[in-house]
Amino acid sequence: MAHSVYRQRSDRSLRTAPTDPSAWRASPLPALTTDEPALITAGDGRGHGQELEALRRKEAVSRVAAQLSAEAIFEWDTKTDKLTVHGTGRLHLADDEVPATFAEWRKRIHPADRDSVDSAIRKHYETREPAKLRYRILRRDGTESVVEVRGSAFWNTSGDCSTWVGVVTDVTGKQKSEEALSQLAAIVQSSDDAIVGCDLDCRIVSWNAGAERLYGYSAGEVMGKPLSLVAPERPWHSVPLDPDSAEFVVKRMESVHFTKSGCCPVSVSMSPVLQKDGRITGFSLIAHDISEQKRVERKLLHQALHEPLTGLPNRRLMRENLARAIADSAKQGRMVAVLFLDIDGFKAINDALGHLVGDQLLRSVATRLTTSVRRSDMLSRAGGDEFVLTASGLQNRHSARLL
């Protein structure tokens, strides 16, 4: 006898899911809305028997697949509250047997996560969209595991929810990895240093907030641009590409990088980005602004080579310059003249008018002498009221007299 069976569309209005989880089992809900037939059979009993046999085979295959699955596949009978878990993944969900009912399983959910689980179930009843949530479960030894649940409820033609089916995955390790990556990303973004990633073509693929502050470019302005935009000397070419090389180390150097408004001295460390399989997929660059360090270094160097009263080179710098001038003049066949100058009557002025006036006189004389000598000459202060002028590149003694 020919016959056809169709799933009927329910006109029953959607009811609000109860807030008490224990009442979910008795919650009548609309039938799953679809225009497709659930099962169509036509013809005599032999055709119907063949289709039933095909359904049995599919069910057997599904059960074997569930048992062998690396994830935990669960069935929750909402009428009896029975909870059945299939698959090898079930062995990793707890340190003891999985609870036989959902009520017992809910007790294993971390108290702080139970409300969110209840809310996700209610939302699924209301929207019928597949549920996906992540929460913590408590082990008997006091530790916690994190699981990710994806599932959906099934309704019969009467509109009653009869079963939940879904997958539970232990994502404790994944959660820790995600948290570690998130923390690392936060560290990179909050770093005062510029941290830049580039591919093997030396194009920028990552750009943190520190890089924005140092170079003045936003991430959107530099992504995909060559690293030579800020590091024109291309030091990454010196980084070895062979992971087994003894030179496969981080390269550290000082350089001057270009910024949006000019240039900036930086301390740079560069290293290859190495994947787990040993492949090098790019380079990382960490640049630290050393402008203040260089300013202090210049100040200390100046103090070491100049005397504080007049700012002229001191004896040490005078000797270094004199040795260099003699060597250069010898190569060129020229002469070097050294002139010693002092201020007549300086001691009397200093004694009569005081050291403040004497110091002012020394500064004035130093200024006048500095503006009177050639750019190639060096005027230095030997001490007291004595000054030394080193003149290089002279042709003869007469040239020295003309100074």
Side-chain angles (χ1 to χ4, degrees):
M1 180 177 63
H3 60 278
S4 299
V5 180
Y6 292 86
R7 180 179 294 124
Q8 302 296 322
R9 177 178 301 181
S10 174
D11 295 327
R12 186 179 303 176
S13 60
L14 185 66
R15 301 181 183 180
T16 302
T19 58
D20 181 7
S22 63
W24 290 336
R25 290 173 290 174
S27 299
L29 291 168
L32 184 64
T33 302
T34 178
D35 294 329
E36 298 295 330
L39 176 65
I40 300 178
T41 59
D44 56 19
R46 288 176 299 175
H48 183 62
Q50 292 173 352
E51 291 185 358
L52 288 178
E53 180 61 26
L55 287 176
R56 292 192 185 97
R57 286 198 300 270
K58 290 181 180 179
E59 181 179 1
V61 170
S62 298
R63 290 191 177 278
V64 172
Q67 291 294 336
L68 298 178
S69 173
E71 295 180 315
I73 300 176
F74 73 89
E75 296 180 40
W76 171 31
D77 188 327
T78 59
K79 296 185 179 298
T80 65
D81 201 35
K82 181 181 178 181
L83 185 65
T84 305
V85 180
H86 307 281
T88 58
R90 71 187 299 274
L91 302 177
H92 305 291
L93 291 178
D95 51 357
D96 53 358
E97 293 186 3
V98 176
T101 65
F102 178 77
E104 290 298 320
W105 176 261
R106 189 174 182 277
K107 292 179 182 179
R108 302 285 295 275
I109 299 175
H110 193 287
D113 296 342
R114 289 172 188 167
D115 288 344
S116 64
V117 173
D118 294 345
S119 177
I121 294 176
R122 285 194 297 268
K123 182 179 179 181
H124 176 66
Y125 278 134
E126 295 169 359
T127 65
R128 303 232 176 155
E129 295 179 355
K132 183 178 179 179
L133 61 156
R134 183 178 292 191
Y135 56 86
R136 293 164 291 176
I137 59 174
L138 303 176
R139 297 178 181 271
R140 289 190 174 181
D141 61 3
T143 60
E144 299 176 2
S145 291
V146 181
V147 297
E148 186 174 87
V149 179
R150 292 161 291 162
S152 295
F154 288 88
W155 290 271
N156 56 31
T157 56
S158 301
D160 296 328
C161 174
S162 59
T163 307
W164 271 74
V165 177
V167 176
V168 184
T169 306
D170 188 338
V171 294
T172 305
K174 180 181 178 182
Q175 177 87 358
K176 292 180 179 179
S177 297
E178 290 175 352
E179 291 175 354
L181 288 174
S182 177
Q183 184 179 16
L184 178 60
I187 292 173
V188 169
Q189 283 301 318
S190 62
S191 173
D192 287 335
D193 293 338
I195 302 178
V196 181
C198 61
D199 58 21
L200 289 176
D201 294 325
C202 301
R203 294 191 174 275
I204 298 170
V205 296
S206 64
W207 187 264
N208 75 334
E212 292 186 354
R213 290 189 295 270
L214 176 61
Y215 297 110
Y217 295 101
S218 67
E221 293 177 293
V222 300
M223 288 302 234
K225 298 290 181 64
L227 190 58
S228 57
L229 176 69
V230 295
E233 72 279 8
R234 300 172 69 86
W236 48 90
H237 284 173
S238 64
V239 179
L241 295 179
D242 182 8
D244 298 325
S245 171
E247 299 179 357
F248 192 74
V249 294
V250 175
K251 295 291 184 179
R252 293 182 174 86
M253 66 202 81
E254 289 188 1
S255 180
V256 177
H257 280 191
F258 291 159
T259 67
K260 200 171 187 179
S261 58
C263 58
C264 177
V266 293
S267 172
V268 180
S269 63
M270 300 193 69
S271 59
V273 176
L274 193 64
Q275 300 300 320
K276 291 182 178 180
D277 59 3
R279 292 181 301 111
I280 295 176
T281 57
F283 302 92
S284 66
L285 175 149
I286 302 177
H288 179 70
D289 185 352
I290 57 174
S291 299
E292 180 61 19
Q293 174 185 329
K294 290 301 181 182
R295 187 192 68 80
V296 173
E297 289 177 357
R298 287 192 299 269
K299 181 178 179 180
L300 293 175
L301 181 61
H302 185 274
Q303 291 175 348
L305 299 175
H306 296 76
E307 62 93 18
L309 180 61
T310 64
L312 292 175
N314 57 17
R315 288 176 178 268
R316 174 185 171 185
L317 184 55
M318 177 194 68
R319 288 194 295 267
E320 293 178 358
N321 181 73
L322 179 59
R324 185 166 53 251
I326 293 174
D328 292 342
S329 296
K331 293 178 181 178
Q332 300 170 3
R334 299 295 181 105
M335 301 180 66
V336 178
V338 181
L339 287 71
F340 292 86
L341 312 171
D342 63 6
I343 304 174
D344 294 339
F346 176 74
K347 185 176 184 305
I349 295 173
N350 203 41
D351 292 342
L353 301 178
H355 293 289
L356 292 180
V357 175
D359 290 346
Q360 182 61 43
L361 176 60
L362 289 172
R363 283 192 289 266
S364 298
V365 171
T367 300
R368 293 184 65 179
L369 289 174
T370 300
T371 58
S372 301
V373 301
R374 301 177 307 174
R375 289 182 177 273
S376 59
D377 300 337
M378 173 181 282
L379 178 67
S380 57
R381 184 185 175 203
D385 64 335
E386 295 178 350
F387 297 86
V388 178
L389 177 63
T390 304
S392 59
L394 302 178
Q395 292 183 352
N396 49 51
R397 293 178 180 273
H398 180 68
S399 300
R401 294 190 183 98
L402 295 178
L403 293 174

